[in-house]
Amino acid sequence: MTARVGVVTFPGSLDDGDAARAVRIAGAEPVRLWHGDPELHGVDAVVLPGGFSYGDYLRCGAIARFAPVMEKIVDAAAGGLPVLGICNGFQILCEAHLLPGALTRNQHLHFRNRDQILRIEATGTAWTNTFQSGQEVLIPVKNGEGCYVADTATLDALEAEGRVVARYVGGNPNGSQRDIAAITNPAGNVVGIMPHPEHAVEALTGPSLDGLGFFTSVLKHLVGTPA
């Protein structure tokens, strides 16, 4: 049976279509979810895409965190539902307290758009199990508020518990503390990543096919998860 992966659209979402295409290329059925609909329609995993949800008013992700669909996602994530937050989706996960820390204005105060090398460090998550530890991948980054920050105790805990999923290599594009590009929750089912794996799934449009592994990983995870 084909896995069904929900992709949420908020007002101001930019990359929901790209995320849905990545899901389809990986071999799953993308299911479009609407921010105002509190139902998840039986999906097996969820992607919170990049963009500017609710115009990034107040703080990036601060309003989206209260969308009706998010209440169900937060509850489902606590029960093990795989959730991937990309860029603005990462910001929403932090605002919803599914992940620690926050994403703030890039240290250099400029929007940064470039192809970025990442080093995958945690391969035990629902979204990275097809990678090798230490593997370097090339994935686009495009953000103005992508600087990951947290207090020292939180950063130390992420390091000690192996919850830093990926780090920037060859230059930090936004000033994120400890070069953090992606993190996970303790259970490994929720991952937030600032770069855009959905933009690296096709040779025609991406700098590589490296982003596809995030989407094939969740399918591998779902196959191994008891119904």
Side-chain angles (χ1 to χ4, degrees):
M1 186 173 179
T2 303
R4 303 173 76 245
V5 179
V7 178
V8 180
T9 297
F10 299 95
S13 289
L14 176 66
D15 298 310
D16 46 338
D18 298 76
R21 184 169 63 250
V23 167
R24 186 179 301 110
I25 291 171
E29 176 189 351
V31 178
R32 305 304 289 263
L33 301 177
W34 183 241
H35 71 108
D37 181 359
E39 298 304 319
L40 298 184
H41 302 282
V43 298
D44 303 301
V46 167
V47 176
L48 302 179
F52 306 91
S53 59
Y54 296 92
D56 281 349
Y57 290 114
L58 299 183
R59 292 185 310 276
C60 298
I63 299 178
R65 175 259 182 275
F66 293 102
V69 73
M70 283 303 300
E71 181 177 353
K72 286 295 180 69
I73 290 173
V74 169
D75 288 344
L81 181 77
V83 180
L84 176 66
I86 303 170
C87 196
N88 187 224
F90 189 1
Q91 295 162 342
I92 294 169
L93 290 177
C94 290
E95 290 287 343
H97 306 297
L98 286 174
L99 293 175
L103 285 306
T104 63
R105 187 72 177 161
N106 292 351
Q107 276 192 347
H108 45 66
L109 304 182
H110 296 287
F111 189 91
R112 186 65 76 234
N113 183 1
R114 72 186 193 198
D115 296 333
Q116 176 70 46
I117 298 174
L118 308 178
R119 183 175 61 249
I120 305 296
E121 299 202 349
T123 59
T125 81
W127 299 92
T128 56
N129 58 67
T130 61
F131 295 104
Q132 299 296 316
S133 181
Q135 181 177 347
E136 293 189 357
V137 298
L138 183 64
I139 293 176
V141 63
K142 53 174 189 176
N143 61 74
E145 300 193 26
C147 179
Y148 181 77
V149 298
D151 59 62
T152 300
T154 297
L155 293 169
D156 288 346
L158 290 172
E159 301 270 14
E161 296 167 12
R163 291 168 54 197
V164 175
V165 172
R167 296 184 203 267
Y168 298 112
V169 175
N172 186 326
N174 46 43
S176 288
Q177 292 179 314
R178 304 192 188 182
D179 297 328
I180 290 174
I183 61 172
T184 186
N185 67 337
N189 63 303
V190 178
V191 169
I193 181 169
M194 184 48 56
H196 288 262
E198 79 281 16
H199 294 331
V201 297
E202 296 177 292
L204 178 64
T205 58
S208 73
L209 302 181
D210 293 343
L212 192 58
F214 288 88
F215 301 95
T216 56
S217 286
V218 77
L219 300 189
K220 179 181 176 182
H221 170 80
L222 291 171
V223 168
T225 301

